[in-house]
């Protein structure tokens, strides 16, 4: 079955030139942070960044994920040029944003748009932890809220891949309010009968975990992803107790009933495709 | 209980005690100091308006955390009649860090919900220092839905350092509980009025904070992270909390300027704890105007305006 997936995948896994430039690897080899084995980057790319040895799911860039899921040339990006301001006039914030823009090739920590998964058109938002740790400022909140609104207006499902350390400190309470903005958008979308699927990837914490990431009709996660509200260190300091190793992992959340399913990356597209099909109006005819 | 003196108001308190001393002396001896006392009282008046009229963000942070600061229950007792507290989330337990119930506001049935701190160690332990677990938020949501069913306006008092960062809280889904409240509150078709009365700490505050009108008491704060936490994260030094309090823009004046809140409720000079009844009256009057306005809207109008309200919060531009 896995072989099947890869032969199928290869057809549309070629990355258009524009994005290819952004994803040039720094080196030829990469060490798996979990099992410490060293792999050719190419090999990891072919495995969708899943370690062939220990199954560790390496972090993925937003565009890698989009190419993994959507038919080639099927996607349209929304609000690509939206960028952050510096509303609190924080020293160095603008420079930090610019630096991450250069590093990631992204204008902000989320890419939104619509595209086709198998034959099903869907709106999406994919976060990228390389940009300011995926933190949510005004732009992230606004882009996600707009994507949800677009999905509502165009009658599309909405799939979100989260990867975020939470709120963006440099935008203060404005970033906190993005939790509300996105949640109000989801409520409108939900009230209109829209389907939302949330896939939490490593890491999904703080204000992102406590808003849209947890608000899907389906809440999924990738194996081993760190998911939680409060930081591990803060909890250990508060309760003066050492936490178990699996604390706040996807598997931990699953055990405590907070996830519908933990989905291996190699099964992600197929699972999403099945759900999209199940939610087609009138079913498959 | 001895009054907690904040560093910035020390000169006021010292002068006050001096006046009290002189008064005592006058009454116990034959020496008449009335004119001296009068002079000092005039000076006190000037000093007070100087000190309390120029409060810096850090002073307000301390005021918001004042050990005698009125809590949700203090205001409930002053503002509403026939408060009946209701308990439990029907799933796990009853979280006393949040109080909730039905009451009457000027004769009108309402649902009142708020974070509840303690004023001493014993009560703080019982109330978990006003830091809720998921069951607290789920109790709040259960009673908000009840309010929605019976068409009662909802009034929320916000006063928490944040949702409790504990092991059990994570196990029971702290994130999910907060997220669900944000979404469900957005869809309720009754007026929701939220008032920050002390500290509005992050997602744990927000989970009672999605409303049609948001107000802050003058010396309350609302922030994405505590000043100490911000200093530790941004500058690796929690001693820089005072600086963080300034740059993070967390006072009622800041939020009003940022367009996030609908108004500031003025505080008694020297802080809400100086006169709870009078402070409650200020809140009462704000509620009256707010309710009058919100009850004139249809359900659809409420939902639409709530979306419009939150949609516009944020600062961004295009390349
Ligand atoms: Zn490995």
């Amino acid at each position: 079955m896995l072989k099947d997936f890869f032969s199928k995948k290869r057809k549309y896994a070629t990355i258009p030139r524009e994005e290819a430039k952004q994803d040039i690897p720094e080196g030829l080899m990469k060490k798996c942070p979990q099992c410490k084995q060293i792999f050719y980057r190419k090999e990891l790319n072919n495995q969708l960044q899943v370690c062939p040895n220990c199954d560790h799911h390496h972090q993925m860039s937003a565009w890698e994920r989009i190419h993994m899921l959507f038919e080639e040339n099927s996607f349209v990006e929304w609000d690509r040029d939206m960028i952050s301001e510096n509303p609190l006039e924080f020293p160095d914030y603008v420079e930090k944003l610019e630096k991450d823009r250069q590093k990631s090739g992204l204008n902000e920590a989320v890419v939104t748009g619509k595209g086709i998964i198998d034959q099903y058109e869907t709106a999406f938002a994919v976060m990228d932890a390389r940009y300011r740790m995926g933190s949510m400022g005004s732009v992230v909140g606004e882009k996600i809220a707009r994507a949800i609104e677009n999905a509502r207006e165009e009658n599309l499902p909405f799939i979100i891949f989260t990867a975020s350390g939470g709120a963006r400190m440099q935008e203060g309470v404005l970033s906190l309010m993005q939790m509300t903005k996105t949640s109000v958008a989801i409520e409108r979308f939900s009230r209109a009968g829209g389907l939302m699927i949330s896939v939490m990837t490593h890491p999904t914490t703080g204000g992102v975990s406590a808003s849209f990431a947890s608000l899907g009709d389906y809440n999924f996660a990738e194996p081993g992803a760190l998911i939680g509200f409060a930081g591990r260190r803060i909890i250990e300091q508060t309760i003066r107790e050492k936490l178990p190793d699996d604390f706040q992992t996807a598997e931990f959340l699953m055990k405590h009933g907070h996830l519908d399913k933990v989905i291996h990356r190699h099964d992600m597209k197929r699972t999403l495709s099945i759900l999209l099909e199940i939610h087609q109006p009138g079913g498959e005819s | 209980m001895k009054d907690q003196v904040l560093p910035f108001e020390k000169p006021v308190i010292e002068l006050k005690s001096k006046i009290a001393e002189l008064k005592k002396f006058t009454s116990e001896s034959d020496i008449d100091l009335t004119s001296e006392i009068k002079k000092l009282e005039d000076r006190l008046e000037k000093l007070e308006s100087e000190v309390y009229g120029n409060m810096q963000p850090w002073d307000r942070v301390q005021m918001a955390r004042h050990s005698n600061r009125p809590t949700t229950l203090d205001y409930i007792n002053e503002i509403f009649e026939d408060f009946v507290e209701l308990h439990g989330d029907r799933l796990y337990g009853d979280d006393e860090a949040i109080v909730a119930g039905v009451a009457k506001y000027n004769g009108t049935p309402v649902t009142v919900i708020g974070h509840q701190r303690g004023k001493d160690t014993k009560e703080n332990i019982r109330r978990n220092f006003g830091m809720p677990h998921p069951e607290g938020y789920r109790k709040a949501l259960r009673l908000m839905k009840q309010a929605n069913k019976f068409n009662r306006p909802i009034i929320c008092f916000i006063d928490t350092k944040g949702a409790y960062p504990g092991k059990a809280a994570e196990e029971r889904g702290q994130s999910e509980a907060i997220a669900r409240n944000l979404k469900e509150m957005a869809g309720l078709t009754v007026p929701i009025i939220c008032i920050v009365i002390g500290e509005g700490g992050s997602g744990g505050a927000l989970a009672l904070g999605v409303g049609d009108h948001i107000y802050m008491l003058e010396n309350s704060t609302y922030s994405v992270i505590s000043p100490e936490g911000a200093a530790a994260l941004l500058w690796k030094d929690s001693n820089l909390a005072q600086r963080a309090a300034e740059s993070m823009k967390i006072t009622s004046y800041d939020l009003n300027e940022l367009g996030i809140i609908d108004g500031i409720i003025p505080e008694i000079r020297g802080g809400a704890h100086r006169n709870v009844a009078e402070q409650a009256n200020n809140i009462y009057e704000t509620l009256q105007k707010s309710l009058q306005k919100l009850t004139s809207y249809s359900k659809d109008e409420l939902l639409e305006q709530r979306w419009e309200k939150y949609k516009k919060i944020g600062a961004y531009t295009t390349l």
Side-chain angles (χ1 to χ4, degrees):
Chain A
M1 203 187 296
L2 207 61
K3 258 196 194 112
D4 229 39
F5 177 80
F6 282 113
S7 60
K8 209 168 127 204
K9 189 208 138 248
R10 203 153 279 155
K11 274 193 295 193
Y12 47 82
T14 45
I15 296 171
R17 194 169 295 154
E18 194 189 347
E19 278 85 35
K21 263 192 294 188
Q22 300 164 359
D23 290 325
I24 289 172
E26 296 124 33
L28 209 58
M29 312 294 283
K30 194 179 176 191
K31 192 174 175 182
C32 174
Q34 185 140 307
C35 71
K36 314 290 178 207
Q37 277 209 30
I38 295 169
F39 298 96
Y40 281 107
R41 275 181 189 273
K42 235 186 186 147
E43 190 179 2
L44 283 173
N45 289 349
N46 289 342
Q47 299 288 332
L48 305 176
Q49 311 298 335
V50 177
C51 176
N53 181 50
C54 73
D55 222 30
H56 175 69
H57 285 48
H58 291 244
Q59 277 181 279
M60 256 183 152
S61 75
W63 281 108
E64 274 180 298
R65 224 177 257 290
I66 291 165
H67 287 291
M68 162 182 112
L69 293 170
F70 292 90
E71 305 294 326
E72 199 183 345
N73 297 326
S74 78
F75 42 80
V76 183
E77 187 180 353
W78 292 327
D79 301 309
R80 187 195 181 98
D81 295 332
M82 195 188 294
I83 56 165
S84 297
E85 290 187 325
N86 188 5
L88 270 50
E89 290 163 10
F90 245 90
D92 305 334
Y93 182 41
V94 174
E95 290 73 21
K96 281 177 179 161
L97 292 172
E98 181 54 34
K99 208 174 126 205
D100 281 7
R101 230 171 265 147
Q102 300 297 336
K103 191 180 76 183
S104 66
L106 301 171
N107 287 331
E108 253 296 344
V110 68
V111 177
T112 59
K114 62 177 175 179
I116 293 170
I117 296 179
D118 287 338
Q119 50 191 300
Y120 309 110
E121 190 175 34
T122 175
F124 66 80
V126 182
M127 302 186 82
D128 196 316
R130 294 172 309 159
Y131 194 102
R132 301 272 86 218
M133 285 163 61
S135 60
M136 172 160 61
S138 298
V139 174
V140 169
E142 179 68 16
K143 281 177 84 168
I144 290 172
R146 283 193 194 183
I148 296 164
E149 270 295 283
N150 288 347
R152 189 179 66 89
E153 278 162 18
E154 296 187 32
N155 237 334
L156 297 173
F158 175 67
I159 298 180
I160 186 160
F161 281 81
T162 59
S164 174
R168 190 169 299 170
M169 295 303 133
Q170 290 90 344
E171 293 190 28
V173 73
L174 285 172
S175 84
L176 182 70
M177 292 297 152
Q178 303 308 311
M179 291 170 68
T180 316
K181 182 197 276 186
T182 51
S183 301
V184 181
I186 290 168
E187 192 283 327
R188 271 163 74 80
F189 179 58
S190 184
R191 187 154 29 96
L195 162 69
M196 172 169 162
I197 300 173
S198 169
V199 184
M200 295 173 238
T201 76
H202 182 76
T204 296
T205 58
V208 166
S209 155
S211 60
F212 51 82
S214 299
L215 291 175
D217 297 293
Y218 300 89
N219 291 335
F220 298 133
E222 284 194 335
L226 170 74
I227 304 163
F229 179 67
R232 186 189 190 94
R233 209 157 35 97
I234 291 167
I235 298 172
E236 284 184 336
Q237 281 166 7
T238 308
I239 64 173
R240 301 203 175 103
E241 197 182 305
K242 189 117 179 53
L243 295 162
D245 283 342
D246 75 336
F247 188 68
Q248 295 181 323
T249 59
E251 293 72 18
F252 171 92
L253 264 81
M254 176 85 168
K255 189 173 84 187
H256 288 283
H258 302 304
L259 291 174
D260 286 291
K261 196 173 167 65
V262 176
I263 302 176
H264 194 285
R265 198 176 282 162
H266 291 164
D267 298 325
M268 188 62 74
K269 182 174 173 176
R270 197 164 42 94
T271 311
L272 292 178
S273 179
I274 291 169
L275 286 172
L276 290 171
E277 192 205 317
I278 280 172
H279 281 270
Q280 288 301 298
E284 182 103 83
S285 58
Chain B
M1 191 189 293
K2 202 177 171 316
D3 203 13
Q4 182 196 358
V5 178
L6 303 175
F8 77 95
E9 59 177 359
K10 237 181 172 160
V12 172
I13 307 301
E14 277 168 5
L15 188 55
K16 268 189 182 167
S17 73
K18 179 131 198 209
I19 291 168
E21 229 174 78
L22 289 183
K23 278 186 175 162
K24 190 162 168 256
F25 184 75
T26 305
S27 69
E28 285 169 359
S29 66
D30 290 335
I31 306 162
D32 182 20
L33 293 170
T34 313
S35 70
E36 282 82 356
I37 289 169
K38 176 78 181 64
K39 252 187 227 153
L40 286 183
E41 279 177 338
D42 289 347
R43 216 169 96 202
L44 177 66
E45 170 63 31
K46 235 182 102 194
L47 187 65
E48 275 197 311
S49 62
E50 249 174 53
V51 166
Y52 295 119
N54 289 298
M55 284 174 70
Q56 298 305 300
W58 183 243
D59 303 333
R60 295 195 199 278
V61 169
Q62 290 170 299
M63 194 64 96
R65 293 173 178 171
H66 197 287
S67 55
N68 290 348
R69 192 161 176 87
T71 65
T72 293
L73 280 174
D74 291 327
Y75 289 127
I76 287 178
N77 289 334
E78 293 284 341
I79 295 170
F80 304 96
E81 312 106 55
D82 298 336
F83 176 64
V84 180
E85 190 180 348
L86 305 166
H87 296 270
D89 68 345
R90 301 292 186 272
L91 298 162
Y92 180 81
D94 185 39
D95 185 349
E96 296 195 88
I98 288 183
V99 293
V102 291
K104 281 188 196 148
Y105 170 85
N106 193 18
T108 309
V110 292
T111 288
V112 192
I113 300 169
H115 301 99
Q116 184 62 41
R117 286 179 299 110
K119 284 185 183 170
D120 53 39
T121 309
K122 196 174 157 222
E123 208 195 345
N124 259 323
I125 288 167
R126 173 180 164 204
R127 304 286 185 186
N128 201 35
F129 296 84
M131 302 173 87
H133 281 74
E135 51 272 24
Y137 296 118
R138 289 173 182 142
K139 167 170 71 176
L141 183 60
R142 178 176 78 80
L143 294 168
M144 287 190 225
K145 287 185 160 176
Q146 185 193 67
N148 201 53
K149 174 179 173 184
F150 295 106
N151 212 23
R152 287 194 290 267
I154 298 165
I155 294 153
C156 293
F157 292 107
I158 294 170
D159 187 16
T160 184
K161 289 183 185 302
Y164 187 65
K167 184 169 175 249
E170 297 287 322
E171 285 170 349
R172 297 201 285 273
Q174 191 72 289
S175 285
E176 194 272 348
I178 294 170
R180 182 179 294 276
N181 277 23
L182 301 182
K183 180 188 166 208
E184 302 279 340
M185 286 180 88
L188 299 178
T189 52
V190 292
I192 306 171
I193 304 168
C194 309
I195 304 172
V196 187
I197 58 171
E199 285 183 276
S202 181
L206 205 59
L208 298 185
V210 182
D212 303 296
H213 285 164
I214 318 290
Y215 299 98
M216 285 175 77
L217 292 199
E218 193 176 356
N219 294 322
S220 66
T221 59
Y222 206 162
S223 64
V224 68
I225 187 172
S226 70
E228 289 83 355
L233 267 181
L234 292 165
W235 306 306
K236 318 275 173 241
D237 184 357
S238 59
N239 294 319
L240 297 173
Q242 190 165 344
R243 195 177 126 198
E246 283 154 22
S247 44
M248 294 295 284
K249 300 226 163 67
I250 62 175
T251 68
S252 61
Y253 291 94
D254 293 327
L255 269 90
N256 202 39
E257 209 167 292
L258 288 166
I260 293 173
I261 58 170
D262 296 86
I264 300 170
I265 301 175
E267 262 187 50
I268 308 301
R269 191 160 75 182
H273 59 287
R274 305 263 173 216
N275 190 335
V276 183
E278 206 181 311
Q279 189 60 56
N281 195 50
N282 288 355
I283 298 175
Y284 184 96
E285 282 171 8
T286 301
L287 281 175
Q288 190 162 35
K289 274 180 243 160
S290 179
L291 277 170
Q292 203 166 35
K293 190 156 186 200
L294 292 174
T295 46
S296 73
Y297 297 130
S298 72
K299 292 179 175 187
D300 286 344
E301 280 170 339
L302 275 178
L303 291 177
E304 198 57 31
Q305 283 174 24
R306 216 172 278 155
W307 165 238
E308 292 295 331
K309 175 187 182 68
Y310 285 102
K311 192 168 87 163
K312 63 173 201 277
I313 300 178
Y316 52 86
T317 181
T318 46
L319 273 176

